[in-house]
Amino acid sequence: MTRIVVLISGGGSNLQSLLDQCQTDSMDANIVAVISNRPDAFGLSRARQAGVKALTLDHTGYADRAAFDAALAELIEAQKPDLIVLAGFMRILTDDFVRRFPGKMINIHPSLLPRYPGLNTHQRALDAGDSKAGATVHFVTAELDGGPPIAQVEVPISDQDDADSLARKVLVQEHRLYPTVVDWFVKGRLRLDASQVLLDEQPLPKSGRLLDTASL
Ligand code: GRF
């Protein structure tokens, strides 16, 4: 049974897709805790509703980033996770923190990385006149949104799109993309070897496996 800890800061719609996935019999995984750095994150209610331990570690109570990250790392380690899933966790992580969980931490980012790390991804894609947006799941390294990509999904941009409509469309695909990648990890198909991502022991392309929206 794979023990998963999910880190959130907000609404937790991606968390919900993972909670739902773990409730299916075919998934040999348990979300053992959800941790939020914000006490009012709606995702905490989603966790409680699903009978999952919901913990808050409020970053505003810590003197600096290093102190918060050290406390967070301890809280995570106490859950003995096999996999740490960042799902809308809006914190920049220190090198020391990231180094404690090599090859065990993944993140979802709402852009086709390496394009648009950081915030406001959808507006930036629109401003650049891109024809497509999307989302990327990647292993977490110390570089913000810069760890090796595992999988991506693309969403076409239409003339009518604004940042909100695009965010909604991409989010629908995120809810399919993230459970797919978590399933690979749980089944032992996915691993990070140095900075190379292997799926079924085969190296993935630099931007990860491109998933067809129809196949998700
Ligand atoms: C998602 O767009 C995710 O890609 C980004 O933050 C958002 C979180 O949404 N990292 P939710 O909290 O899962 O609804």
Side-chain angles (χ1 to χ4, degrees):
M1 178 74 78
T2 302
R3 296 173 64 84
I4 301 174
V5 167
V6 183
L7 306 189
I8 60 163
S9 298
S13 67
N14 278 292
L15 164 67
Q16 189 67 57
S17 70
L18 299 171
L19 288 166
D20 294 347
Q21 179 196 30
C22 286
Q23 261 156 14
T24 62
D25 290 341
S26 58
M27 223 18 214
D28 194 22
N30 231 340
I31 299 180
V32 293
V34 171
I35 303 174
S36 172
N37 65 308
R38 292 186 183 278
D40 59 349
F42 180 63
L44 290 168
S45 309
R46 295 181 188 269
R48 286 189 205 104
Q49 187 71 30
V52 169
K53 183 168 30 165
L55 304 170
T56 299
L57 194 71
D58 188 344
H59 64 278
T60 61
Y62 290 83
D64 55 24
R65 194 177 291 284
F68 173 74
D69 277 12
L72 179 62
E74 267 180 41
L75 184 60
I76 292 171
E77 276 166 3
Q79 318 305 320
K80 304 201 182 330
D82 303 299
L83 176 65
I84 299 147
V85 175
L86 310 190
F89 185 62
M90 304 301 284
R91 295 277 309 169
I92 292 173
L93 298 165
T94 56
D95 285 13
D96 284 351
F97 176 89
V98 172
R99 268 198 282 270
R100 282 167 84 158
F101 307 105
K104 284 173 69 167
M105 187 154 54
I106 60 176
N107 179 45
I108 190 161
H109 182 75
S111 79
L112 296 169
L113 291 171
R115 287 174 86 78
Y116 317 127
L119 298 173
N120 302 321
T121 54
H122 303 303
Q123 191 58 54
R124 288 156 73 197
L126 290 167
D127 291 348
D130 292 355
S131 60
K132 59 195 180 191
T136 305
V137 176
H138 63 93
F139 279 106
V140 176
T141 62
E143 192 189 339
L144 177 68
D145 301 324
I150 302 166
Q152 293 191 320
V153 63
E154 296 179 347
V155 172
I157 298 180
S158 80
D159 291 345
Q160 284 76 47
D161 273 321
D162 59 19
D164 288 342
S165 68
L166 205 48
R168 279 194 298 275
K169 285 197 255 182
V170 171
L171 203 52
V172 171
Q173 298 306 327
E174 290 184 38
H175 298 159
R176 307 166 83 191
L177 175 67
Y178 222 177
T180 301
V181 172
V182 168
D183 182 64
W184 291 345
F185 190 95
V186 168
K187 293 203 163 84
R189 299 177 57 193
L190 182 67
R191 70 185 178 92
L192 183 65
D193 182 20
S195 58
Q196 176 78 71
V197 180
L198 302 174
L199 180 63
D200 299 328
E201 295 306 311
Q202 299 302 310
L204 287 178
K206 266 219 152 333
S207 50
R209 168 73 57 87
L210 181 62
L211 295 180
D212 181 355
T213 49
S215 77
L216 285 173

